[in-house]
Amino acid sequence: DVTQWFTESFRAEFEKQADQIGRINLAVFGKTGVGKSTLVNAIFGEPVAVTGIGAPVTIGSHLYLDKRGALGVVDTRGLELGHDDDQIIKELTKAIKESRGKPVSEQIHVAWYCIRGMDRRFEDFEERFIRTLDSLGLPVLVVLTQVPMRDGMFHPDAVELARQIEAKGLPIVGGRPFMTYAMRDQFSGQPAYGLVEVLGATFQVAPEAVKGALVAAQAIDVELKATQSHKAIAAAVTAAAAAAAIPIPFSSAAVLVPIQLSMMARIAQLHGLGLDKSALLAVASTSVATSAGRAAASSLLKFIPGAGSVVGGVINASVASSFTLAMGQAWLVVCQKAFNKTLPGVAGKIDGEAVKRLFEEELAKRLPHIRQRS
């Protein structure tokens, strides 16, 4: 059964891509009540820091790592900054040193130090804590939370606090705090802001090996997901051209299937789509892609000398890359709509036929380029 084979193949590739993307582990520090949980939840799109995101792994007496797919959040439990700094630093130092010999997904990658923007005071212990994080090799973002803004102007008290912090010359990302308001205030109407800037700065300093994990885990920057998806498409296009450059019998797009499966799984992972939903969407979409691939290859046979002597014909490298590009771009549209929850559905479930039509329409917009280049 072709559908069953494709589904199983896609699932295997999806798991493979999950392993390749790995997990970004983010350490979040700050006094109780500064809004750490609200900030994390706003950027990663779920009540991560409230309910927990899995079984927490103890990495110290009071230091825990909660895991959820591509995201890990490191926090302290039962200790309070300003009172238990030495104990937290001791546990953190031990955890970081022990993790350096482990796989990259088990290491701590970036730290956020959160301060309530209206607290008006930056204390000595906070400076010492931030400098210690830097000495441990962690890039540190200082985030001012709950900062009111009106007419594009930050509250003067938060501006003064930021000035005090900047004057310290701390080893922090960007050399300055990031002003944020994580969640719209229903009473005052204060809108959320600053989250994309925090995410972008985190992306810039995260290790290359876990950038994909950060893109997959975050839920606020669609353009960042698109940019990384286009890189996956470009890699697949290059691989498809290289595969087709060697005369290989082309039968039912078989040469391109492994390459395209990898591309599709990567894009689905980057959009944070679950395995079951991704597989359903892939099956709905690819029947069109496979038939289009056969048609594209067949149309080329008359232009390729001796093609008739090769069983199934031979695919042109230009067509292989062009078709893979078209398929990747069409699949990206499907994943974007799934991420934005704008796919058509019936009785609360995804409408497979509608997904097929969407993919077909998007692919049709791009297939003329294949015919022109052939």
Side-chain angles (χ1 to χ4, degrees), residues 128-349:
R128 184 169 72 94
F129 194 86
I130 290 170
R131 291 190 184 278
T132 301
L133 293 175
D134 174 73
S135 71
L136 293 172
L138 284 180
V140 183
L141 277 71
V142 171
V143 183
L144 297 192
T145 62
Q146 304 175 38
V147 177
M149 182 175 65
R150 186 173 63 191
D151 299 328
M153 303 290 290
F154 300 121
H155 194 286
D157 288 350
V159 172
E160 174 57 25
L161 178 60
R163 188 197 64 76
Q164 291 179 29
I165 295 171
E166 287 184 55
K168 299 285 186 180
L170 294 172
I172 56 178
V173 176
R176 63 172 181 83
F178 291 84
M179 304 283 203
T180 67
Y181 205 95
M183 184 177 297
R184 177 182 174 83
D185 188 301
Q186 297 297 327
F187 179 76
S188 68
Q190 170 69 60
Y193 70 86
L195 303 180
V196 172
E197 288 75 13
V198 170
L199 174 64
T202 304
F203 180 81
Q204 291 301 319
V205 298
E208 194 65 34
V210 298
K211 286 184 185 291
L214 178 59
V215 174
Q218 62 88 19
I220 60 172
D221 193 340
V222 179
E223 287 303 315
L224 185 57
K225 291 182 183 292
T227 298
Q228 295 302 303
S229 295
H230 284 301
K231 289 183 179 180
I233 293 171
V237 167
T238 300
I246 303 172
I248 303 174
F250 184 89
S251 175
S252 301
V255 172
L256 303 183
V257 166
I259 295 169
Q260 292 169 348
L261 276 176
S262 176
M263 173 185 69
M264 293 172 68
R266 180 80 177 188
I267 294 171
Q269 285 280 359
L270 289 171
H271 284 78
L273 305 181
L275 173 56
D276 291 339
K277 177 181 284 188
S278 299
L280 186 155
L281 295 175
V283 169
S285 300
T286 49
S287 62
V288 178
T290 304
S291 60
R294 284 198 295 267
S298 299
S299 68
L300 287 177
L301 295 183
K302 60 184 178 182
F303 297 108
I304 303 175
S309 64
V310 180
V311 177
V314 178
I315 187 169
N316 178 290
S318 175
V319 171
S321 59
S322 296
F323 178 68
T324 301
L325 174 62
M327 184 176 176
Q329 291 173 336
W331 174 245
L332 175 56
V333 172
V334 172
C335 289
Q336 287 175 328
K337 287 185 176 295
F339 173 77
N340 291 325
K341 296 180 172 58
T342 57
L343 282 176
V346 177
K349 296 183 179 180

Side-chain angles (χ1 to χ4, degrees), residues 39-80:
L39 179 68
V40 171
N41 294 343
I43 290 179
F44 296 104
E46 294 185 25
V48 173
V50 174
T51 62
I53 51 178
V57 177
T58 304
I59 55 177
S61 299
H62 298 83
L63 203 62
Y64 293 85
L65 170 63
D66 278 357
K67 302 176 184 178
R68 183 207 63 189
L71 173 68
V73 177
V74 178
D75 66 3
T76 58
R77 311 228 176 130
L79 297 180
E80 173 67 14

